[in-house]
Amino acid sequence: RQFASFLMERLNISKEQRSEEDDYIVVFSRASNRLILNEAELLLSLAQEFKMRTVTVSLDEQPFDSIVRVISGASMLVSMHGAQLITSLFLPRGAAVIELFPYAVNPEQYTPYKTLASLPGMDLQYVAWRNIIEENSVAYPDRPWDQGGIAHLEKEEQERIITSKDVPRHLCCRNPEWLYRIYQDTIVDIPSFLEILREGLKVKPNLKKSKPASTVHPGRVR
């Protein structure tokens, strides 16, 4: 949290000014891959479930500082798995991080943002949702290999990857099966998504001026 404050200060970003009543949810929108294909439906369902307004942010369309400013006042951040989730370190205490995973990608194997949310002093809630309906995903086997394409592989290997229901453990980050699956677009199944949130969020995201649950004093760096 000290690092996040330091970074905002150096980038000349002021924290989002908000009233107690103005709780809102931020959804990360992507322009070219890992799309949420029913984004409008997802935004509406979140607004209805939590009685909060919803806003989208996009690294493709907005400068980084404006995204950080919006996230610094949000009650919840919802995003597909990806590097943009590092911005969760700017969330206020009491907020929630909701990470979405495409079909065949096991959240238990990709946990950097879960770890970040659970660090002592962060005081964030974390929930992972995983698409388990194959028909709700769109893959792109003919794209370049670094965007999930598998056309360069042997026919048998292509077929194995396409029929696999779970990406096996692998080394980062050039595994073709991992890339094929993580670059899928996804239709979020709204009933299962809301059910996961109701089960996973112990309390409604609450940004009251809560004191930190724990304080960490790192040792001197030698």
Side-chain angles (χ1 to χ4, degrees):
R1 288 208 170 275
Q2 288 178 332
F3 174 72
S5 298
F6 168 80
L7 205 55
M8 288 181 74
E9 189 182 313
R10 284 303 174 94
L11 293 173
N12 201 23
I13 303 170
S14 57
K15 284 204 169 172
E16 186 75 357
Q17 296 302 311
R18 51 195 299 287
S19 66
E20 290 291 319
E21 291 75 42
D22 184 31
D23 286 338
Y24 60 91
I25 297 168
V26 174
V27 175
F28 246 113
S29 189
R30 297 176 66 105
S32 58
N33 53 54
R34 290 184 226 182
L35 306 182
I36 301 170
L37 295 172
N38 58 336
E39 191 176 280
E41 187 186 3
L42 180 70
L43 289 165
L44 184 62
S45 68
L46 283 164
Q48 290 173 338
E49 177 74 16
F50 293 97
K51 305 293 185 283
M52 297 183 198
R53 67 186 176 96
T54 53
V55 297
T56 58
V57 294
S58 169
L59 286 168
D60 303 285
E61 296 164 11
Q62 290 162 267
F64 183 69
D65 58 349
S66 73
I67 291 174
V68 169
R69 186 175 296 111
V70 172
I71 288 174
S72 73
S75 298
M76 184 185 295
L77 177 61
V78 181
S79 173
M80 293 301 291
H81 174 77
Q84 72 279 356
L85 263 171
I86 195 63
T87 54
S88 61
L89 70 88
F90 298 103
L91 283 167
R93 287 192 170 92
V97 182
I98 316 300
E99 187 171 11
L100 313 177
F101 287 85
Y103 180 77
V105 179
N106 184 348
E108 295 301 316
Q109 295 182 20
Y110 309 96
T111 58
Y113 308 113
K114 179 181 181 180
T115 302
L116 175 61
S118 62
L119 287 175
M122 287 306 290
D123 302 311
L124 298 174
Q125 298 188 74
Y126 173 89
V127 176
W129 174 86
R130 175 186 184 179
N131 177 28
I132 57 171
I133 304 170
E134 191 169 5
E135 296 72 42
N136 282 359
S137 65
V138 180
Y140 297 91
D142 297 322
R143 280 184 177 168
W145 73 268
D146 58 349
Q147 295 170 33
I150 55 173
H152 62 291
L153 301 173
E154 296 288 337
K155 203 76 181 157
E156 295 77 22
E157 181 64 1
Q158 289 185 42
E159 287 168 6
R160 185 195 68 73
I161 288 173
I162 289 168
T163 56
S164 168
K165 299 192 183 315
D166 214 343
V167 177
R169 288 190 178 276
H170 59 89
L171 295 173
C172 185
C173 296
R174 291 168 169 259
N175 180 283
E177 186 167 350
W178 151 251
L179 292 169
Y180 174 73
R181 290 301 185 187
I182 200 59
Y183 278 107
Q184 293 173 116
D185 296 340
T186 302
I187 298 170
V188 174
D189 177 62
I190 300 299
S192 74
F193 173 73
L194 292 178
E195 188 181 336
I196 290 276
L197 289 195
R198 289 173 194 139
E199 288 175 7
L201 294 176
K202 298 173 190 67
V203 293
K204 182 180 174 181
N206 180 350
L207 307 186
K208 300 285 184 288
K209 301 286 181 286
S210 57
K211 288 195 169 64
S214 52
T215 308
V216 183
H217 299 287
R220 188 162 63 89
V221 176
R222 290 179 177 82

